[in-house]
Amino acid sequence: MTTLIHTADWQIGRQYGGFEPEDAAALADARFAAVERIARLAADEQADAVLVAGDVFDAQGVSARTIRRLFNAMEPFAGRWVLIPGNHDAALAEGVWRHALRLGVVPANVKLALEPGVVELPEQRAAVLCAPLTQRHTYTDLTEPFDGWTTPEGWLRLGLAHGAVQGLLAEDIDSANPIAPDRAERARLDYLALGDWHGAKRIGERCWYAGTPEQDRFKDNGAGQVLRVRIAGPGAVPEVEALPLGRHRWRTLERRLAVPSDVEALVAELAACGADEVLQLTLAGTLDLAGRARLDEAIAAAEARVRALRCERSGLRLAPTAEDLAALHADGYLGEVLAELREADGPVEQEALAVLAGLLAGREEAAA
């Protein structure tokens, strides 16, 4: 029985510009930690090889320190690694992979397949047919040559590629780089390990996407896993199991608020969120001043507890009640303006009322 770990889309060096600097740094570091967990998993499983199907790095211009950290993270597994470039880290003449080779940090047990061809693993009696990307976008199927490549008799025949299986993936796949959906069958592969799609996805009994091992988008598509592939021998159907590996859970919460019970339900939901969650909170509806204060307090508490929280409130409107306005103690001219705005029915007047009441409430909270 041959045991493989199939992974892809590590995106080392990714920048999280939409987050606060502290959170962005932690999310970037989590990608190194994921690679280290992959290495330890491979060692624990006594894997015969780890196949990495592209986009190891997120960009060509990552620093020498980042490159060194990546290979340091791989150290716990001393077995065979086979890596190919993807669309983010294509094998350019002066790209990240050439930089890594010049640094001399690529261990002897790591094979970088920077050109199309067959990587032979004699001890594992396996041949890996590799289709690395040598430019960011291609418009021909780089796995087509697999059909004619020969491999030693009686060895496993494995494929390693990065791109979009035609007709089976969403239109917003990262790159063109087409791959025929029946390539595994055409090329007589025992298993075809793919990268580019960031979630674990079965294409066929011999063809899978592993997805990124550390979730990095607000999509529920099976990210945060690696695949353990067991093959009894040439021609046998692989046994593929997705193994959870990622640390952070990215979630989107969309809530419409109208009555106090809606606010309390959201407060309870936020209180239940854990330290490793990354939240996108989108709010709509109306709140009185008490509801807004309760919500602000809950969001502030959640921001201090979860890994990261982004909140979109553009659809949320402040609608102060008569009691709210009375509690503001706005005398004189301001009181008259509030009263006039509250009696008006137009949307502009109502929006002005909400803004003014919010400013006054904020002033009183600051003075308290």
Side-chain angles (χ1 to χ4, degrees):
M1 179 72 74
T2 298
T3 299
L4 307 169
I5 300 297
H6 169 198
T7 179
D9 298 286
W10 294 352
Q11 313 293 147
I12 297 297
R14 177 171 179 183
Q15 303 295 307
Y16 292 87
F19 294 88
E20 293 297 321
E22 178 183 352
D23 295 328
L27 293 172
D29 278 345
R31 309 204 75 79
F32 292 100
V35 174
E36 185 172 349
R37 288 195 297 276
I38 292 170
R40 295 191 184 283
L41 172 67
D44 292 343
E45 293 285 337
Q46 298 183 329
D48 293 283
V50 178
L51 305 181
V52 188
D55 280 0
V56 174
F57 294 99
D58 190 60
Q60 297 287 354
V62 298
S63 67
R65 179 174 182 269
T66 293
I67 294 172
R68 293 178 186 276
R69 286 187 66 191
L70 179 276
F71 288 107
N72 288 344
M74 295 166 63
E75 287 182 354
F77 179 60
R80 298 293 291 174
W81 298 78
V82 183
L83 285 64
I84 64 168
N87 57 300
H88 281 257
D89 57 358
L92 306 179
E94 287 300 324
V96 61
W97 295 110
R98 300 300 174 186
H99 190 183
L101 292 173
R102 284 197 301 272
L103 291 172
V105 296
V106 182
N109 64 317
V110 176
K111 172 61 179 178
L112 304 182
L114 303 184
E115 297 179 355
V118 179
V119 174
E120 294 189 352
L121 306 178
E123 293 182 5
Q124 293 78 16
R125 294 181 59 81
V128 185
L129 288 66
C130 299
L133 291 181
T134 56
Q135 58 189 45
R136 185 173 177 86
H137 297 294
T138 62
Y139 298 94
T140 59
D141 186 347
L142 298 183
T143 67
E144 187 173 355
F146 288 5
D147 299 2
W149 288 352
T150 59
T151 54
E153 189 72 25
W155 284 24
L156 288 177
R157 194 171 161 90
L158 309 171
L160 190 58
H162 188 93
V165 173
Q166 297 302 284
L168 296 179
L169 297 182
E171 294 181 358
D172 61 350
I173 188 70
D174 276 355
S175 63
N177 307 319
I179 297 174
D182 59 349
R183 180 60 62 207
E185 290 73 26
R186 288 191 198 181
R188 308 173 307 285
L189 300 177
D190 294 295
Y191 184 75
L192 176 54
L194 298 180
D196 199 17
W197 184 249
H198 278 216
K201 186 175 183 65
R202 180 184 186 272
I203 301 301
E205 65 180 9
R206 299 181 184 276
C207 181
W208 283 71
Y209 282 96
T212 181
E214 184 65 54
Q215 188 175 0
D216 57 0
R217 302 175 186 180
F218 291 105
K219 289 185 177 181
D220 185 12
N221 63 352
Q225 305 182 100
V226 297
L227 300 180
R228 180 178 59 202
V229 183
R230 290 174 170 163
I231 310 176
V237 175
E239 301 173 8
V240 182
E241 183 178 0
L243 304 178
L245 185 125
R247 174 179 177 179
H248 295 117
R249 180 189 178 199
W250 293 51
R251 288 202 298 147
T252 297
L253 300 179
E254 297 181 357
R255 300 293 181 266
R256 176 168 289 277
L257 309 175
V259 294
S261 60
D262 294 337
V263 176
E264 291 307 314
L266 178 57
V267 168
E269 196 169 14
L270 291 174
C273 292
D276 291 329
E277 296 201 57
V278 179
L279 298 179
Q280 173 67 57
L281 184 60
T282 302
L283 302 177
T286 58
L287 287 177
D288 59 17
L289 291 180
R292 191 194 70 165
R294 183 82 171 102
L295 179 63
D296 288 346
E297 180 183 0
I299 290 177
E303 286 175 331
R305 185 172 57 254
V306 303
R307 176 63 275 163
L309 188 153
R310 299 194 308 193
C311 186
E312 173 56 57
R313 303 192 192 202
S314 60
L316 194 60
R317 179 172 172 267
L318 185 63
T321 65
E323 291 76 13
D324 288 334
L325 297 178
L328 293 176
H329 305 296
D331 300 323
Y333 176 70
L334 281 179
E336 294 176 6
V337 171
L338 285 174
E340 291 180 8
L341 289 175
R342 190 168 189 280
E343 292 176 1
D345 293 329
V348 174
E349 290 83 359
Q350 290 299 304
E351 182 64 25
L353 173 65
V355 171
L356 181 56
L359 290 173
L360 291 172
R363 185 182 65 179
E364 292 199 357
E365 291 171 2

